[in-house]
Amino acid sequence: KNSKRLVALMLLVVTIFSVVSVSASASNWQDSNFYDFTLHSYQRYLNPRAKEDTSPCYVKITEAAYNQTTFISANGCYSSSSSATRYNCTRNGNGYSVAHVSILPHQGYLVRSMIYEYKYPYASLGFSTPIVAGNEVSGVWSPDSVGSYPYAY
C-alpha cells in the first residue's frame, strides 16, 4: 500500500515539473520576417505580436537598398490589430528612456523596452530613417529574445 502511494506521489511530482517547465519556456522569440519595408522620416510600424516576457525585442535588417542607420522604437500595444495605438517604451542599451535607438544592417540587435513591465500584451517595432527616405529594408524581428546580441543604442 505504501509503495502505491509512493508511486502516485512520484507521478504527481513529475507531472508538476513537466507543466512548470513548459510554461517557463513559452516566450515569443521566433523570428517574423518583414519584406521591402519602406523607411521614411516618420515612424512606420510592424504588426504587433504577443509580448510574453521581460527580455528585449530582437531585430536584424538582412537587406537594405542603402547601408544606412535605421531608427527603431519598441512600442507597447493593447491589441494585435495593425491599426492599434502604439505607446513608445524604448530604452537604450543603458536602460534610459529614449525616442528610438539606432541600428545598422546585417547585425542582430536587442532593443530594450518596458513593454512587458508596463503590462502591454503586444509589442510592435517602429522604423524611421534620418538619411534616405524611401530606403526599403527586409529582415526579421521578435518581441522576445534569446541569445547574445549587442544592445541597440
Side-chain angles (χ1 to χ4, degrees):
K1 193 168 186 168
N2 283 338
S3 63
K4 287 184 179 182
R5 285 185 185 171
L6 182 60
V7 170
L9 180 61
M10 287 173 51
L11 286 174
L12 178 63
V13 169
V14 168
T15 303
I16 289 171
F17 280 115
S18 297
V19 171
V20 170
S21 297
V22 169
S23 64
S25 63
S27 296
N28 196 1
W29 51 264
Q30 293 82 8
D31 291 340
S32 288
N33 295 305
F34 55 92
Y35 300 102
D36 300 329
F37 194 76
T38 305
L39 301 178
H40 294 281
S41 58
Y42 57 87
Q43 289 277 300
R44 295 202 55 231
Y45 301 100
L46 297 177
N47 287 337
R49 291 180 56 196
K51 178 76 173 140
E52 298 179 356
D53 65 29
T54 61
S55 67
C57 297
Y58 171 78
V59 64
K60 181 178 182 179
I61 294 175
T62 56
E63 295 180 39
Y66 303 97
N67 190 25
Q68 68 182 36
T69 297
T70 300
F71 291 156
I72 303 291
S73 65
N75 304 276
C77 308
Y78 286 114
S79 87
S80 61
S81 167
S82 61
S83 61
T85 301
R86 269 72 169 182
Y87 301 91
N88 192 342
C89 300
T90 311
R91 299 290 186 268
N92 66 12
N94 293 324
Y96 295 108
S97 179
V98 293
H100 58 261
V101 292
S102 300
I103 68 169
L104 291 170
H106 312 296
Q107 167 66 55
Y109 291 92
L110 298 176
V111 180
R112 285 186 167 167
S113 75
M114 296 295 287
I115 296 168
Y116 189 83
E117 294 83 349
Y118 290 164
K119 309 291 187 220
Y120 294 108
Y122 299 95
S124 171
L125 294 185
F127 290 69
S128 63
T129 180
I131 303 171
V132 181
N135 184 20
E136 289 186 351
V137 297
S138 298
V140 296
W141 83 285
S142 61
D144 300 319
S145 59
V146 294
S148 296
Y149 301 93
Y151 287 111
Y153 282 87

